[in-house]
Amino acid sequence: APKRPVYVGVKACGACHDGASMGNQYSKWLLSKHAQGYSALMKPESREITKISGLRGDPWKEPVCLACHSTASTTEEWEKDDTFKPEDGLQCEACHGPGSEYMAEDVMRNRAEAMKAGLKLPTKEHCLGCHIEKGTHVNVLKNSTVDIDKVFPLIQHPLPKPSAVTALPAG
């Protein structure tokens, strides 16, 4: 059978993508709202949104909620490595795709090879899959939308220049 990519989890990504030479990418993610995506489903407001939406289950179990608040929620268990934990929220692979095929250092150092192996470089349009106005969210949270044009530059995490690590070539 052909090899299929699997989700390895943010801690596998963070093993290499942290520290000053990597722009503290993992640490920045840890402090982000994306890292808190799953835990946000435990808040009373999330239960209220679920109720208004006509859903009967817990928000942290509802597929429609997990689609935006967790990573790989629609995949089967075999598509997740033992190192992957859905409760880690919106992880690197939510935007960059399952990492098993491109996570090796020699692959990651070559952007063209990494992309050929499955690395995705998301655009603002990718963000709109979750960051669209939802009436139930506005009803409960009042200001629940995000100005993608404003925040997209804030979530970018390129290598610092100059970097002690060889930067990914343009392609």
Side-chain angles (χ1 to χ4, degrees):
K3 194 173 183 182
R4 298 289 307 257
V6 297
Y7 290 85
V8 295
V10 68
K11 289 182 179 103
C13 302
C16 295
H17 288 269
D18 206 13
S21 66
M22 293 301 290
N24 299 303
Q25 294 170 329
Y26 176 68
S27 295
K28 286 179 181 176
W29 172 83
L30 277 173
L31 298 172
S32 74
K33 287 187 177 185
H34 283 147
Q36 305 305 312
Y38 183 86
S39 62
L41 295 175
M42 309 301 165
K43 294 180 177 182
E45 298 94 322
S46 295
R47 190 169 292 283
E48 183 65 22
I49 289 169
T50 305
K51 182 179 169 186
I52 292 171
S53 298
L55 302 169
R56 297 179 189 271
D58 297 318
W60 58 91
K61 294 178 184 174
E62 288 290 344
V64 69
C65 301
L66 289 170
C68 290
H69 286 267
S70 187
T71 302
S73 65
T74 61
T75 60
E76 296 188 33
E77 286 308 308
W78 66 265
E79 295 176 274
K80 300 170 196 164
D81 191 80
D82 292 341
T83 57
F84 178 84
K85 306 288 181 244
E87 58 272 11
D88 286 337
L90 289 158
Q91 306 172 45
C92 312
E93 295 164 296
C95 299
H96 296 294
S100 65
E101 306 304 297
Y102 63 80
M103 69 183 276
E105 183 179 357
D106 61 322
V107 177
M108 283 297 289
R109 287 191 179 271
N110 182 318
R111 178 172 284 184
E113 287 300 312
M115 292 179 75
K116 192 164 107 177
L119 173 67
K120 295 178 177 138
L121 300 177
T123 63
K124 292 176 191 176
E125 288 71 33
H126 175 86
C127 303
L128 293 172
C130 290
H131 290 287
I132 58 170
E133 186 173 293
K134 298 171 187 89
T136 54
H137 289 63
V138 172
N139 187 298
V140 174
L141 303 173
K142 306 306 176 219
N143 184 17
S144 69
T145 57
V146 173
D147 182 344
I148 296 299
D149 290 327
K150 182 178 175 183
V151 298
F152 193 74
L154 302 176
I155 64 166
Q156 299 299 296
H157 45 274
L159 292 174
K161 292 181 178 97
S163 174
V165 177
T166 305
L168 294 173

Short mmCIF file of all heavy atoms in Angstrom, two decimals, residues 110-168:
data_model
loop_
_atom_site.label_atom_id
_atom_site.label_comp_id
_atom_site.label_asym_id
_atom_site.label_seq_id
_atom_site.Cartn_x
_atom_site.Cartn_y
_atom_site.Cartn_z
N ASN A 110 14.87 22.14 2.28
CA ASN A 110 14.68 22.38 0.86
C ASN A 110 13.18 22.60 0.63
O ASN A 110 12.40 21.65 0.61
CB ASN A 110 15.19 21.18 0.05
CG ASN A 110 15.06 21.38 -1.44
OD1 ASN A 110 14.06 21.89 -1.94
ND2 ASN A 110 16.08 20.95 -2.15
N ARG A 111 12.79 23.84 0.47
CA ARG A 111 11.36 24.17 0.37
C ARG A 111 10.65 23.38 -0.73
O ARG A 111 9.56 22.86 -0.51
CB ARG A 111 11.16 25.67 0.13
CG ARG A 111 9.67 26.02 -0.01
CD ARG A 111 9.44 27.47 -0.06
NE ARG A 111 9.57 27.97 1.31
CZ ARG A 111 9.35 29.22 1.65
NH1 ARG A 111 8.99 30.10 0.77
NH2 ARG A 111 9.48 29.59 2.90
N ALA A 112 11.26 23.27 -1.89
CA ALA A 112 10.62 22.54 -2.99
C ALA A 112 10.39 21.08 -2.60
O ALA A 112 9.31 20.53 -2.86
CB ALA A 112 11.47 22.64 -4.27
N GLU A 113 11.38 20.46 -1.98
CA GLU A 113 11.23 19.06 -1.55
C GLU A 113 10.19 18.93 -0.44
O GLU A 113 9.40 18.00 -0.43
CB GLU A 113 12.58 18.49 -1.09
CG GLU A 113 13.52 18.22 -2.23
CD GLU A 113 12.98 17.21 -3.23
OE1 GLU A 113 12.47 16.14 -2.84
OE2 GLU A 113 13.06 17.52 -4.44
N ALA A 114 10.21 19.88 0.49
CA ALA A 114 9.24 19.84 1.58
C ALA A 114 7.82 19.97 1.04
O ALA A 114 6.91 19.24 1.46
CB ALA A 114 9.54 20.94 2.60
N MET A 115 7.63 20.87 0.10
CA MET A 115 6.30 21.05 -0.48
C MET A 115 5.90 19.83 -1.30
O MET A 115 4.74 19.40 -1.27
CB MET A 115 6.24 22.34 -1.28
CG MET A 115 6.34 23.56 -0.36
SD MET A 115 6.30 25.12 -1.21
CE MET A 115 4.56 25.21 -1.61
N LYS A 116 6.84 19.25 -1.99
CA LYS A 116 6.55 18.02 -2.76
C LYS A 116 6.16 16.89 -1.80
O LYS A 116 5.33 16.05 -2.13
CB LYS A 116 7.80 17.64 -3.57
CG LYS A 116 7.56 16.58 -4.61
CD LYS A 116 8.70 16.56 -5.60
CE LYS A 116 9.56 15.36 -5.40
NZ LYS A 116 10.65 15.24 -6.36
N ALA A 117 6.73 16.92 -0.60
CA ALA A 117 6.43 15.89 0.40
C ALA A 117 5.17 16.19 1.20
O ALA A 117 4.78 15.41 2.06
CB ALA A 117 7.63 15.73 1.34
N GLY A 118 4.53 17.35 0.96
CA GLY A 118 3.26 17.63 1.61
C GLY A 118 3.17 18.91 2.41
O GLY A 118 2.09 19.26 2.90
N LEU A 119 4.27 19.64 2.59
CA LEU A 119 4.22 20.90 3.33
C LEU A 119 3.36 21.90 2.58
O LEU A 119 3.53 22.11 1.38
CB LEU A 119 5.63 21.48 3.49
CG LEU A 119 5.70 22.88 4.11
CD1 LEU A 119 5.25 22.86 5.57
CD2 LEU A 119 7.11 23.45 3.98
N LYS A 120 2.42 22.49 3.29
CA LYS A 120 1.55 23.53 2.71
C LYS A 120 1.95 24.88 3.28
O LYS A 120 2.30 24.99 4.46
CB LYS A 120 0.09 23.24 3.02
CG LYS A 120 -0.42 21.97 2.39
CD LYS A 120 -1.84 21.69 2.77
CE LYS A 120 -2.28 20.45 2.04
NZ LYS A 120 -3.05 19.56 2.83
N LEU A 121 1.88 25.90 2.46
CA LEU A 121 2.11 27.27 2.91
C LEU A 121 0.77 27.98 2.77
O LEU A 121 0.38 28.37 1.67
CB LEU A 121 3.20 27.94 2.07
CG LEU A 121 4.56 27.23 2.14
CD1 LEU A 121 5.57 27.92 1.23
CD2 LEU A 121 5.08 27.18 3.56
N PRO A 122 0.04 28.11 3.87
CA PRO A 122 -1.33 28.63 3.81
C PRO A 122 -1.39 30.10 3.41
O PRO A 122 -0.45 30.86 3.60
CB PRO A 122 -1.85 28.43 5.22
CG PRO A 122 -0.64 28.40 6.07
CD PRO A 122 0.46 27.81 5.23
N THR A 123 -2.52 30.44 2.85
CA THR A 123 -2.81 31.81 2.46
C THR A 123 -3.93 32.34 3.36
O THR A 123 -4.50 31.60 4.16
CB THR A 123 -3.30 31.86 1.00
OG1 THR A 123 -4.53 31.12 0.92
CG2 THR A 123 -2.28 31.25 0.04
N LYS A 124 -4.25 33.61 3.20
CA LYS A 124 -5.35 34.20 3.97
C LYS A 124 -6.65 33.44 3.72
O LYS A 124 -7.46 33.28 4.62
CB LYS A 124 -5.54 35.66 3.59
CG LYS A 124 -4.41 36.55 4.01
CD LYS A 124 -4.65 37.96 3.50
CE LYS A 124 -3.42 38.82 3.67
NZ LYS A 124 -3.62 40.16 3.09
N GLU A 125 -6.84 32.95 2.51
CA GLU A 125 -8.06 32.22 2.17
C GLU A 125 -8.19 30.96 3.02
O GLU A 125 -9.29 30.56 3.37
CB GLU A 125 -8.10 31.89 0.68
CG GLU A 125 -8.34 33.08 -0.22
CD GLU A 125 -7.15 34.07 -0.30
OE1 GLU A 125 -5.98 33.62 -0.23
OE2 GLU A 125 -7.41 35.26 -0.41
N HIS A 126 -7.07 30.32 3.32
CA HIS A 126 -7.09 29.13 4.18
C HIS A 126 -7.70 29.48 5.55
O HIS A 126 -8.50 28.73 6.09
CB HIS A 126 -5.67 28.58 4.34
CG HIS A 126 -5.58 27.43 5.29
ND1 HIS A 126 -5.80 26.14 4.89
CD2 HIS A 126 -5.30 27.38 6.61
CE1 HIS A 126 -5.67 25.34 5.93
NE2 HIS A 126 -5.36 26.08 6.99
N CYS A 127 -7.32 30.65 6.07
CA CYS A 127 -7.80 31.10 7.38
C CYS A 127 -9.33 31.28 7.39
O CYS A 127 -9.98 31.05 8.41
CB CYS A 127 -7.15 32.41 7.77
SG CYS A 127 -5.35 32.37 7.81
N LEU A 128 -9.86 31.69 6.25
CA LEU A 128 -11.30 31.97 6.18
C LEU A 128 -12.15 30.72 6.31
O LEU A 128 -13.36 30.82 6.53
CB LEU A 128 -11.62 32.70 4.87
CG LEU A 128 -11.05 34.12 4.79
CD1 LEU A 128 -11.27 34.70 3.39
CD2 LEU A 128 -11.67 35.01 5.85
N GLY A 129 -11.55 29.55 6.23
CA GLY A 129 -12.29 28.32 6.46
C GLY A 129 -12.90 28.29 7.85
O GLY A 129 -13.98 27.76 8.06
N CYS A 130 -12.21 28.89 8.81
CA CYS A 130 -12.71 28.97 10.19
C CYS A 130 -13.09 30.39 10.58
O CYS A 130 -14.06 30.59 11.31
CB CYS A 130 -11.66 28.45 11.18
SG CYS A 130 -11.39 26.68 11.08
N HIS A 131 -12.33 31.35 10.11
CA HIS A 131 -12.53 32.74 10.54
C HIS A 131 -13.54 33.47 9.67
O HIS A 131 -13.23 34.48 9.04
CB HIS A 131 -11.19 33.47 10.56
CG HIS A 131 -10.29 33.01 11.66
ND1 HIS A 131 -10.51 33.32 12.98
CD2 HIS A 131 -9.19 32.22 11.63
CE1 HIS A 131 -9.56 32.77 13.72
NE2 HIS A 131 -8.75 32.09 12.92
N ILE A 132 -14.74 32.94 9.66
CA ILE A 132 -15.86 33.61 9.01
C ILE A 132 -16.86 33.96 10.11
O ILE A 132 -16.86 33.34 11.17
CB ILE A 132 -16.53 32.73 7.92
CG1 ILE A 132 -17.03 31.41 8.54
CG2 ILE A 132 -15.58 32.47 6.78
CD1 ILE A 132 -17.90 30.61 7.62
N GLU A 133 -17.66 34.94 9.85
CA GLU A 133 -18.64 35.33 10.86
C GLU A 133 -19.69 34.23 11.01
O GLU A 133 -20.28 33.77 10.03
CB GLU A 133 -19.32 36.64 10.46
CG GLU A 133 -20.25 37.16 11.54
CD GLU A 133 -20.79 38.53 11.21
OE1 GLU A 133 -20.00 39.49 11.19
OE2 GLU A 133 -22.01 38.62 10.95
N LYS A 134 -19.90 33.83 12.23
CA LYS A 134 -20.91 32.81 12.55
C LYS A 134 -21.90 33.47 13.50
O LYS A 134 -21.52 33.94 14.57
CB LYS A 134 -20.24 31.60 13.20
CG LYS A 134 -19.24 30.90 12.29
CD LYS A 134 -18.47 29.85 13.07
CE LYS A 134 -17.36 29.26 12.25
NZ LYS A 134 -16.10 30.00 12.38
N GLY A 135 -23.15 33.47 13.13
CA GLY A 135 -24.17 34.14 13.92
C GLY A 135 -24.21 33.70 15.37
O GLY A 135 -24.37 34.52 16.28
N THR A 136 -24.05 32.41 15.61
CA THR A 136 -24.08 31.92 16.98
C THR A 136 -22.92 32.47 17.79
O THR A 136 -23.08 32.81 18.96
CB THR A 136 -24.03 30.38 17.02
OG1 THR A 136 -22.88 29.95 16.27
CG2 THR A 136 -25.28 29.77 16.41
N HIS A 137 -21.77 32.58 17.18
CA HIS A 137 -20.59 33.11 17.88
C HIS A 137 -20.77 34.60 18.17
O HIS A 137 -20.45 35.06 19.26
CB HIS A 137 -19.33 32.86 17.04
CG HIS A 137 -18.91 31.43 16.99
ND1 HIS A 137 -19.68 30.45 16.42
CD2 HIS A 137 -17.79 30.82 17.44
CE1 HIS A 137 -19.06 29.29 16.52
NE2 HIS A 137 -17.89 29.48 17.14
N VAL A 138 -21.27 35.34 17.19
CA VAL A 138 -21.50 36.77 17.39
C VAL A 138 -22.52 36.99 18.48
O VAL A 138 -22.37 37.86 19.34
CB VAL A 138 -21.94 37.45 16.07
CG1 VAL A 138 -22.37 38.89 16.31
CG2 VAL A 138 -20.83 37.38 15.04
N ASN A 139 -23.57 36.17 18.50
CA ASN A 139 -24.63 36.28 19.50
C ASN A 139 -24.09 36.15 20.92
O ASN A 139 -24.48 36.88 21.82
CB ASN A 139 -25.70 35.22 19.22
CG ASN A 139 -26.91 35.36 20.10
OD1 ASN A 139 -26.81 35.25 21.31
ND2 ASN A 139 -28.05 35.57 19.48
N VAL A 140 -23.16 35.22 21.11
CA VAL A 140 -22.63 34.95 22.45
C VAL A 140 -21.37 35.76 22.75
O VAL A 140 -21.23 36.32 23.83
CB VAL A 140 -22.34 33.44 22.62
CG1 VAL A 140 -21.65 33.15 23.94
CG2 VAL A 140 -23.63 32.64 22.50
N LEU A 141 -20.46 35.84 21.79
CA LEU A 141 -19.16 36.48 22.04
C LEU A 141 -19.12 37.94 21.64
O LEU A 141 -18.13 38.62 21.92
CB LEU A 141 -18.06 35.72 21.29
CG LEU A 141 -17.95 34.23 21.62
CD1 LEU A 141 -16.96 33.57 20.69
CD2 LEU A 141 -17.55 34.04 23.07
N LYS A 142 -20.15 38.40 20.99
CA LYS A 142 -20.28 39.78 20.49
C LYS A 142 -19.27 40.11 19.39
O LYS A 142 -19.63 40.35 18.28
CB LYS A 142 -20.19 40.82 21.62
CG LYS A 142 -21.16 40.59 22.75
CD LYS A 142 -22.60 40.48 22.27
CE LYS A 142 -23.54 40.17 23.44
NZ LYS A 142 -24.57 39.23 23.07
N ASN A 143 -17.98 40.10 19.67
CA ASN A 143 -16.99 40.44 18.66
C ASN A 143 -16.14 39.20 18.38
O ASN A 143 -15.03 39.06 18.89
CB ASN A 143 -16.10 41.60 19.16
CG ASN A 143 -15.11 42.04 18.11
OD1 ASN A 143 -15.26 41.73 16.94
ND2 ASN A 143 -14.09 42.76 18.53
N SER A 144 -16.66 38.29 17.59
CA SER A 144 -15.98 37.01 17.40
C SER A 144 -15.27 36.90 16.06
O SER A 144 -14.67 35.87 15.78
CB SER A 144 -16.99 35.86 17.52
OG SER A 144 -17.87 35.88 16.42
N THR A 145 -15.33 37.91 15.24
CA THR A 145 -14.69 37.80 13.94
C THR A 145 -13.26 38.35 14.01
O THR A 145 -12.89 39.07 14.91
CB THR A 145 -15.48 38.56 12.86
OG1 THR A 145 -15.60 39.91 13.27
CG2 THR A 145 -16.85 37.95 12.67
N VAL A 146 -12.48 37.97 13.03
CA VAL A 146 -11.08 38.37 12.96
C VAL A 146 -10.87 39.04 11.61
O VAL A 146 -11.32 38.55 10.58
CB VAL A 146 -10.16 37.13 13.08
CG1 VAL A 146 -8.72 37.49 12.84
CG2 VAL A 146 -10.33 36.48 14.45
N ASP A 147 -10.19 40.16 11.61
CA ASP A 147 -9.82 40.84 10.38
C ASP A 147 -8.56 40.15 9.85
O ASP A 147 -7.45 40.43 10.32
CB ASP A 147 -9.57 42.32 10.66
CG ASP A 147 -9.21 43.11 9.41
OD1 ASP A 147 -8.85 42.50 8.38
OD2 ASP A 147 -9.27 44.35 9.48
N ILE A 148 -8.74 39.24 8.92
CA ILE A 148 -7.64 38.43 8.40
C ILE A 148 -6.52 39.30 7.85
O ILE A 148 -5.34 39.02 8.08
CB ILE A 148 -8.14 37.43 7.33
CG1 ILE A 148 -9.12 36.43 7.95
CG2 ILE A 148 -6.97 36.70 6.67
CD1 ILE A 148 -8.56 35.57 9.04
N ASP A 149 -6.86 40.36 7.12
CA ASP A 149 -5.82 41.23 6.57
C ASP A 149 -4.96 41.84 7.67
O ASP A 149 -3.76 42.03 7.49
CB ASP A 149 -6.44 42.34 5.71
CG ASP A 149 -7.02 41.80 4.41
OD1 ASP A 149 -6.45 40.83 3.87
OD2 ASP A 149 -8.03 42.35 3.94
N LYS A 150 -5.56 42.11 8.80
CA LYS A 150 -4.84 42.73 9.92
C LYS A 150 -3.99 41.71 10.69
O LYS A 150 -2.86 41.98 11.06
CB LYS A 150 -5.83 43.41 10.86
CG LYS A 150 -5.20 44.12 12.02
CD LYS A 150 -6.28 44.81 12.86
CE LYS A 150 -5.68 45.44 14.10
NZ LYS A 150 -6.73 46.04 14.95
N VAL A 151 -4.55 40.53 10.94
CA VAL A 151 -3.86 39.56 11.80
C VAL A 151 -2.96 38.58 11.05
O VAL A 151 -2.06 37.99 11.66
CB VAL A 151 -4.85 38.78 12.71
CG1 VAL A 151 -5.58 39.72 13.64
CG2 VAL A 151 -5.79 37.93 11.91
N PHE A 152 -3.15 38.39 9.77
CA PHE A 152 -2.34 37.44 9.03
C PHE A 152 -0.84 37.72 9.19
O PHE A 152 -0.07 36.80 9.47
CB PHE A 152 -2.75 37.39 7.55
CG PHE A 152 -2.17 36.22 6.80
CD1 PHE A 152 -2.66 34.95 6.99
CD2 PHE A 152 -1.14 36.40 5.89
CE1 PHE A 152 -2.14 33.87 6.31
CE2 PHE A 152 -0.61 35.34 5.19
CZ PHE A 152 -1.10 34.06 5.40
N PRO A 153 -0.42 38.98 9.06
CA PRO A 153 1.01 39.25 9.26
C PRO A 153 1.49 38.93 10.68
O PRO A 153 2.66 38.60 10.88
CB PRO A 153 1.15 40.75 8.98
CG PRO A 153 -0.05 41.11 8.18
CD PRO A 153 -1.14 40.18 8.62
N LEU A 154 0.60 38.97 11.65
CA LEU A 154 0.98 38.72 13.04
C LEU A 154 1.23 37.24 13.32
O LEU A 154 1.93 36.91 14.28
CB LEU A 154 -0.11 39.25 13.98
CG LEU A 154 -0.42 40.74 13.88
CD1 LEU A 154 -1.58 41.09 14.81
CD2 LEU A 154 0.81 41.57 14.18
N ILE A 155 0.63 36.36 12.52
CA ILE A 155 0.84 34.94 12.75
C ILE A 155 1.95 34.36 11.88
O ILE A 155 2.28 33.20 12.01
CB ILE A 155 -0.46 34.12 12.58
CG1 ILE A 155 -0.96 34.19 11.15
CG2 ILE A 155 -1.52 34.57 13.57
CD1 ILE A 155 -2.01 33.17 10.83
N GLN A 156 2.50 35.18 10.99
CA GLN A 156 3.61 34.72 10.18
C GLN A 156 4.78 34.37 11.10
O GLN A 156 4.96 35.00 12.13
CB GLN A 156 4.03 35.80 9.19
CG GLN A 156 2.93 36.20 8.22
CD GLN A 156 2.47 35.03 7.37
OE1 GLN A 156 3.24 34.50 6.58
NE2 GLN A 156 1.24 34.63 7.53
N HIS A 157 5.56 33.39 10.73
CA HIS A 157 6.67 32.97 11.58
C HIS A 157 7.88 32.54 10.75
O HIS A 157 8.33 31.41 10.84
CB HIS A 157 6.22 31.86 12.53
CG HIS A 157 5.41 30.79 11.86
ND1 HIS A 157 4.06 30.90 11.71
CD2 HIS A 157 5.77 29.62 11.31
CE1 HIS A 157 3.61 29.83 11.09
NE2 HIS A 157 4.63 29.03 10.83
N PRO A 158 8.40 33.48 9.96
CA PRO A 158 9.58 33.15 9.15
C PRO A 158 10.82 33.02 10.04
O PRO A 158 10.83 33.48 11.19
CB PRO A 158 9.70 34.36 8.22
CG PRO A 158 9.12 35.48 9.00
CD PRO A 158 7.98 34.86 9.79
N LEU A 159 11.86 32.43 9.48
CA LEU A 159 13.14 32.38 10.19
C LEU A 159 13.68 33.80 10.30
O LEU A 159 13.46 34.62 9.41
CB LEU A 159 14.13 31.52 9.41
CG LEU A 159 13.83 30.03 9.34
CD1 LEU A 159 14.82 29.34 8.41
CD2 LEU A 159 13.86 29.40 10.71
N PRO A 160 14.37 34.10 11.38
CA PRO A 160 14.95 35.44 11.50
C PRO A 160 16.05 35.64 10.47
O PRO A 160 16.65 34.68 10.00
CB PRO A 160 15.52 35.44 12.92
CG PRO A 160 15.67 34.02 13.30
CD PRO A 160 14.65 33.25 12.52
N LYS A 161 16.30 36.89 10.12
CA LYS A 161 17.36 37.20 9.17
C LYS A 161 18.36 38.10 9.84
O LYS A 161 17.96 39.09 10.44
CB LYS A 161 16.77 37.90 7.94
CG LYS A 161 15.91 36.97 7.13
CD LYS A 161 15.36 37.69 5.92
CE LYS A 161 14.57 36.85 5.08
NZ LYS A 161 13.58 36.41 4.69
N PRO A 162 19.62 37.83 9.81
CA PRO A 162 20.19 36.58 9.29
C PRO A 162 19.96 35.44 10.28
O PRO A 162 19.84 35.67 11.47
CB PRO A 162 21.68 36.90 9.16
CG PRO A 162 21.92 37.93 10.20
CD PRO A 162 20.64 38.73 10.33
N SER A 163 19.89 34.23 9.78
CA SER A 163 19.62 33.08 10.61
C SER A 163 20.85 32.19 10.70
O SER A 163 21.58 32.03 9.72
CB SER A 163 18.46 32.27 10.02
OG SER A 163 18.27 31.07 10.73
N ALA A 164 21.06 31.63 11.86
CA ALA A 164 22.14 30.68 12.04
C ALA A 164 21.80 29.36 11.34
O ALA A 164 22.67 28.56 11.05
CB ALA A 164 22.38 30.41 13.52
N VAL A 165 20.54 29.19 11.03
CA VAL A 165 20.07 28.00 10.33
C VAL A 165 19.92 28.36 8.86
O VAL A 165 19.50 29.47 8.53
CB VAL A 165 18.70 27.53 10.90
CG1 VAL A 165 18.17 26.35 10.12
CG2 VAL A 165 18.84 27.22 12.36
N THR A 166 20.25 27.44 7.99
CA THR A 166 20.07 27.71 6.57
C THR A 166 18.61 27.91 6.29
O THR A 166 17.80 27.04 6.58
CB THR A 166 20.62 26.53 5.73
OG1 THR A 166 21.97 26.31 6.10
CG2 THR A 166 20.52 26.83 4.25
N ALA A 167 18.26 29.05 5.76
CA ALA A 167 16.86 29.35 5.44
C ALA A 167 16.39 28.49 4.29
O ALA A 167 17.19 28.06 3.44
CB ALA A 167 16.71 30.82 5.10
N LEU A 168 15.11 28.23 4.24
CA LEU A 168 14.54 27.49 3.13
C LEU A 168 14.73 28.27 1.84
O LEU A 168 14.41 29.45 1.78
CB LEU A 168 13.04 27.26 3.36
CG LEU A 168 12.65 26.36 4.51
CD1 LEU A 168 11.14 26.38 4.69
CD2 LEU A 168 13.11 24.95 4.29
#
